[in-house]
Amino acid sequence: MQRRKKSINPFQHLSRFLALLLRFLGRVINLLTRGLLKTIQRMLPRRRRRSTAAGFVLPTVVMVSLVVVLVTTAVMIRSFDRSRNASNFRVNEAVLNAATPALDRARAKISRLFSPDETNLPIGTPDDRQIKSAFEAGLSNYTFQDEENLVLTFGGKELKTAWRYPVDTNNNGKFDSFTLYGIYYSDPTTGRTPLDARSKPMDDGQSQSCSTGTDNIGNWVKTGSGVLKKAFFSYVATVPIGEDQIAGLGSDYEAYVGNKGFSALEMQQDQSRLSLDNNAVFYEDDLGITNAPRFFINGRVHTNSNLLVSAPIAGNEVVFLQVSSPVSCFYKPENSLISVAGNVAAGSISEDTDVAADLVKVHLFRGESNNPTVLDNAAGNEPEKNPLIPSINGIGSTVPNFYNKTIDKLGGKDVAYNDLAYQKRLSLLTTGALNLFNTDPEEWEKATPALVDAIARFPRDVKESFKAKYNPNNPLPTLLRNTLETYFKERLRKVPFAEISINNTNDATKLGGVDLTIDTIFPTSRDIADESGVAVIAPPEAWMDPSVANTKLTPRYLPTLDPQLVNPTTKQNDYLGDRVVVGNNLPYRWFNEKNTDIVGPPTTKKRQFAKPGSEKPISGISWLQPAKADDPNTSSGTSGERKLSSRIVILDDIADTSRSGFWEDAAATSEAKVTVTKPDGTVEDQFISDDVRGGLRVVTGAGLYVDGCPTEGTFPAEFPCNGSKGLGQRFNSPTATILTTRSFLPEPKS
């Protein structure tokens, strides 16, 4: 058995060398002193005589010798300190370089958590339990190949978002240290533990009065500007591998040799969301503001379809104002954005002419705390109130193809969407996919994750979404239908009346003049794949691509500043398109017909769907340079190829709205239950009494009746009220004739 050589600290060698050197210098100085004294003695007369200089030479020589020794020693000690400092610096630099990449890993994992790739996380503002569930359900997706997942515990609470991976700090080919890092996200405002985030999100207000609020909405903090934020903290440390830890690690590892160092880093990343109630208007279908009296609207506006707007009567202008006063905490460009997933047209759904849209004005953002600059151009328009002029070029008129509307048709008659035609296509696709699962409709309600996963042509999105929402204890009969419908909604474009008129709605499911059926809607020859590269079901390309050939509409584009040239300090709007962003009917997951940004060799590539947020290049159309200072109505030139993004906003899945379904259970839950493992190993359910859950808004024209005893009148003897009064009684006896004694609600399930 070969004995391991005992490692010697290099500083021990250095100290021995210094001791020997000092001993050698002492001997040399001693010899020099003796020789000097002998030489002096020879030079002096042998006859003793009194002298005032007697005894002077020897002390002088001794002092000189002492100074030489002290200077030499100080120089050697200083050299030793510099060498040690240089070694410490090199060690600290190596350890810091090893720890810094872990921040990039943590940042990538947080980005992935809130990306469309994470199907286990609900859209919107997930709370801590949902974030924990998403991390743990897909832990393999958050663990890199060289990483090992760690579990941190404190007081019975667990955190599984921690990892370690080996690093080679001296570049000799063997790992000698471990980098450890974790992601901490739990709300710290309810009694912080070491496993929670360190603090609340950072404030983004302009002044102390705009500081971050204290209201928590699902563990997200509402800031002074109205934005919801949540803080994610990442802690990183690189620690050396000791002699006692090397056993069992393998031949690729070695114990750390040399001066040891330790580096710890912290990163705070705040995720932000705009809640639905931050919109002044949020609309799913065509948003029409036409033939209205004088109309002013402040704030953010969104429609998942078209914006049809006009002001035909003088004095009855329509003005899209900024959200509030320039000195307001809410005065930010994102709080006044106008987002249109379809197109912008001038006129209502019944009009085929552009109706005096010069009275429709849009105020542009000119920077925080700044009023819109009032400048008149040659045409007399106020640039901060850009009129939607449909018949002529808008701002940027010196550049072709830029207008103040986004379609070539007049009015809104041809631009508006035929929702019935869209629903027909969606229904055919959904039913056809269900038919692939099983031709018996009764079996659709019995779908399980295993059965869904067995369908080869079902995309990964459908399989993962179904599995995440499936509740084996209370399976939703329509879950598979809902999942497939959502999949197709994300990929279908809307249907304008220019393509399918109201009288030809039955032609919506025809392709090339031939009716498609549930048996012919998904031909096997269609080479469309999901992210895994497997051929999957998909709508016909003509139903996905919003090209002129398919929609019969020629797109136009609002003048828009190159996003790369937006002033990062003021974030001001130069053009109409800077505030009014338009998607031109591009689907949420648009069809990537050019096969760009797809990983894999050309021989294995199949055409896929673009990921949400991907940009589609617009051939022949460019971004604009900033507006000219002396003429804000004119661009100073173009700036690179323009790109188009989908503006569709996918709302949260409303899940099961039936009796005893998801929303009814959520509304009835007053306390959150958390299962914790105590230090002694026992498992216990704990309830958080101050955690607000659920809630239900009921809109009804028939009135709302609550369980309890009636508040007035007489009632039959079978009412178990014993003469007491209450809030109304659930009772379905036909003999009960007084409205206050009947709730008319269905009987609850036991």
Side-chain angles (χ1 to χ4, degrees):
M1 180 176 178
Q2 185 177 1
R3 296 184 59 187
R4 180 180 296 179
K5 293 182 180 181
K6 183 176 180 181
S7 61
I8 301 177
N9 193 316
F11 292 108
Q12 295 179 356
H13 292 289
L14 183 61
S15 61
R16 291 177 183 177
F17 171 74
L18 291 175
L20 292 175
L21 181 62
L22 290 175
R23 187 182 303 172
F24 173 75
L25 290 175
R27 290 178 180 179
V28 170
I29 293 173
N30 189 25
L31 291 175
L32 291 175
T33 304
R34 289 181 181 180
L36 181 62
L37 289 176
K38 288 181 180 181
T39 302
I40 294 175
Q41 288 176 356
R42 293 192 189 101
M43 295 174 61
L44 293 175
R46 295 188 176 276
R47 185 173 59 86
R48 285 177 87 91
R49 64 179 181 178
R50 293 179 176 269
S51 173
T52 58
F56 171 75
V57 175
L58 182 61
T60 301
V61 171
V62 172
M63 290 298 296
V64 171
S65 300
L66 182 60
V67 170
V68 171
V69 171
L70 292 176
V71 170
T72 303
T73 303
V75 170
M76 295 302 301
I77 293 176
R78 178 61 177 171
S79 176
F80 170 77
D81 289 340
R82 291 294 300 270
S83 176
R84 184 172 58 184
N85 290 339
S87 175
N88 290 339
F89 177 78
R90 288 193 298 269
V91 170
N92 290 337
E93 187 177 28
V95 173
L96 186 63
N97 291 338
T100 302
L103 295 179
D104 295 329
R105 296 191 179 207
R107 190 180 294 110
K109 293 179 180 183
I110 296 174
S111 298
R112 202 264 181 195
L113 176 69
F114 289 98
S115 74
D117 294 331
E118 180 51 76
T119 59
N120 294 316
L121 195 70
I123 300 172
T125 53
D127 59 25
D128 289 343
R129 286 180 295 274
Q130 293 169 324
I131 293 175
K132 178 182 179 182
S133 176
F135 268 129
E136 296 180 358
L139 202 54
S140 60
N141 296 326
Y142 294 95
T143 304
F144 291 107
Q145 188 174 1
D146 63 339
E147 291 183 346
E148 177 185 357
N149 183 241
L150 306 176
V151 179
L152 309 181
T153 60
F154 181 85
K157 184 178 180 179
E158 287 187 350
L159 180 71
K160 296 184 179 180
T161 51
W163 299 268
R164 77 170 187 179
Y165 63 92
V167 292
D168 177 16
T169 59
N170 57 8
N171 295 321
N172 68 346
K174 291 190 175 183
F175 301 119
D176 53 19
S177 301
F178 280 111
T179 295
L180 301 94
Y181 71 100
I183 300 175
Y184 302 77
Y185 52 85
S186 295
D187 184 10
T189 60
T190 57
R192 182 183 178 274
T193 70
L195 303 184
D196 300 331
R198 184 171 61 83
S199 66
K200 297 191 302 182
M202 298 177 64
D203 179 34
D204 62 351
Q206 298 109 306
S207 63
Q208 186 67 30
S209 60
C210 299
S211 60
T212 301
T214 58
D215 295 337
N216 280 17
I217 302 176
N219 305 126
W220 292 67
V221 177
K222 194 164 188 177
T223 64
S225 64
V227 178
L228 297 176
K229 281 190 174 185
K230 182 172 179 59
F232 286 78
F233 280 84
S234 299
Y235 297 102
V236 180
T238 297
V239 295
I241 299 176
E243 289 282 355
D244 55 341
Q245 300 171 317
I246 196 65
L249 290 179
S251 59
D252 294 334
Y253 294 80
E254 67 177 0
Y256 188 92
V257 178
N259 191 18
K260 296 181 179 180
F262 177 82
S263 177
L265 302 174
E266 178 190 74
M267 177 185 72
Q268 177 180 352
Q269 185 182 96
D270 292 346
Q271 291 289 325
S272 62
R273 291 291 183 271
L274 285 171
S275 60
L276 195 62
D277 61 1
N278 202 47
N279 293 277
V281 176
F282 190 100
Y283 216 65
E284 177 66 27
D285 298 317
D286 290 336
L287 175 59
I289 306 176
T290 59
N291 299 306
R294 196 178 189 198
F295 189 85
F296 291 83
I297 182 169
N298 295 75
R300 189 180 178 95
V301 176
H302 174 81
T303 172
N304 273 341
S305 299
N306 298 305
L307 176 61
L308 310 176
V309 58
S310 66
I313 303 175
N316 289 350
E317 59 182 353
V318 175
V319 183
F320 292 88
L321 301 167
Q322 289 292 310
V323 64
S324 58
S325 165
V327 297
S328 167
C329 299
F330 294 91
Y331 193 73
K332 293 182 177 294
E334 59 268 21
N335 288 336
S336 298
L337 189 71
I338 301 174
S339 177
V340 182
N343 288 289
V344 177
S348 69
I349 191 174
S350 62
E351 295 168 333
D352 56 6
T353 58
D354 288 335
V355 183
D358 56 326
L359 294 177
V360 178
K361 300 178 181 180
V362 181
H363 284 211
L364 300 186
F365 182 82
R366 296 298 185 182
E368 292 183 359
S369 302
N370 293 333
N371 286 308
T373 304
V374 180
L375 295 174
D376 292 335
N377 57 28
N381 296 326
E382 294 178 335
E384 84 287 1
K385 300 177 181 178
N386 292 271
L388 286 166
I389 306 176
S391 302
I392 61 175
N393 289 359
I395 291 182
S397 58
T398 59
V399 183
N401 297 321
F402 285 125
Y403 301 85
N404 281 17
K405 70 172 190 177
T406 65
I407 217 68
D408 65 327
K409 299 293 183 181
L410 301 179
K413 186 175 182 179
D414 292 330
V415 183
Y417 289 150
N418 187 338
D419 190 61
L420 181 57
Y422 173 80
Q423 294 298 332
K424 280 181 173 290
R425 291 179 177 180
L426 180 62
S427 177
L428 177 62
L429 290 166
T430 305
T431 306
L434 289 170
N435 198 53
L436 286 178
F437 174 77
N438 199 300
T439 56
D440 185 0
E442 293 185 359
E443 296 298 320
W444 302 345
E445 301 180 358
K446 303 175 183 178
T448 63
L451 294 175
V452 172
D453 194 59
I455 307 301
R457 297 188 65 191
F458 275 10
R460 187 178 67 181
D461 285 0
V462 170
K463 295 176 180 180
E464 292 182 351
S465 180
F466 181 88
K467 182 179 179 181
K469 298 173 183 176
Y470 182 76
N471 182 2
N473 298 322
N474 186 23
L476 177 63
T478 60
L479 179 59
L480 181 58
R481 174 181 286 276
N482 296 344
T483 305
L484 289 168
E485 189 175 272
T486 299
Y487 169 79
F488 290 119
K489 276 184 176 180
E490 293 179 350
R491 289 155 177 82
L492 271 180
R493 61 170 176 81
K494 297 293 181 70
V495 184
F497 281 110
E499 176 188 2
I500 303 293
S501 67
I502 192 170
N503 296 323
N504 297 322
T505 302
N506 291 332
D507 295 337
T509 55
K510 287 183 178 181
L511 193 63
V514 179
D515 265 319
L516 298 178
T517 67
I518 59 175
D519 299 318
T520 61
I521 189 64
F522 302 121
T524 56
S525 60
R526 191 175 296 153
D527 60 337
I528 298 177
D530 64 4
E531 291 83 351
S532 62
V534 178
V536 296
I537 55 176
E541 295 178 29
W543 294 2
M544 297 185 289
D545 180 21
S547 64
V548 180
N550 296 324
T551 64
K552 308 299 186 292
L553 298 175
T554 301
R556 290 177 173 175
Y557 303 96
L558 302 180
T560 307
L561 179 66
D562 186 342
Q564 302 297 326
L565 301 180
V566 174
N567 189 312
T569 303
T570 63
K571 299 179 183 179
Q572 73 173 33
N573 302 148
D574 276 23
Y575 306 107
L576 180 63
D578 297 339
R579 182 182 178 189
V580 184
V581 293
V582 183
N584 294 107
N585 202 7
L586 191 68
Y588 183 70
R589 296 291 302 272
W590 54 273
F591 180 54
N592 196 347
E593 58 181 335
K594 293 187 177 180
N595 205 32
T596 55
D597 302 326
I598 298 177
V599 179
T603 55
T604 62
K605 288 184 179 180
K606 291 185 176 68
R607 296 178 298 169
Q608 299 182 9
F609 297 102
K611 291 185 176 181
S614 299
E615 296 180 325
K616 185 177 183 179
I618 309 175
S619 178
I621 305 297
S622 303
W623 300 109
L624 295 181
Q625 295 277 354
K628 292 183 178 180
D630 57 344
D631 186 4
N633 216 29
T634 306
S635 170
S636 56
T638 59
S639 176
E641 186 180 48
R642 185 162 173 171
K643 294 180 174 61
L644 184 67
S645 298
S646 174
R647 298 299 173 181
I648 292 178
V649 175
I650 302 297
L651 297 177
D652 293 340
D653 188 350
I654 61 173
D656 184 8
T657 58
S658 62
R659 290 302 305 270
S660 301
F662 171 81
W663 285 112
E664 185 171 292
D665 288 344
T669 303
S670 59
E671 295 180 328
K673 183 177 74 172
V674 180
T675 302
V676 298
T677 303
K678 302 176 71 173
D680 59 2
T682 60
V683 178
E684 180 183 54
D685 289 338
Q686 296 182 358
F687 293 88
I688 306 174
S689 58
D690 60 348
D691 184 49
V692 180
R693 304 294 306 282
L696 182 65
R697 181 185 300 172
V698 178
V699 179
T700 173
L704 181 63
Y705 299 84
V706 189
D707 289 344
C709 293
T711 57
E712 60 182 47
T714 59
F715 43 88
E718 55 264 34
F719 277 89
C721 294
N722 299 323
S724 62
K725 305 293 183 182
L727 297 176
Q729 173 67 36
R730 181 191 300 279
F731 189 72
N732 292 327
S733 172
T735 59
T737 58
I738 302 176
L739 291 180
T740 53
T741 64
R742 295 276 306 276
S743 71
F744 296 100
L745 296 176
E747 292 290 344
K749 296 180 180 179
S750 59

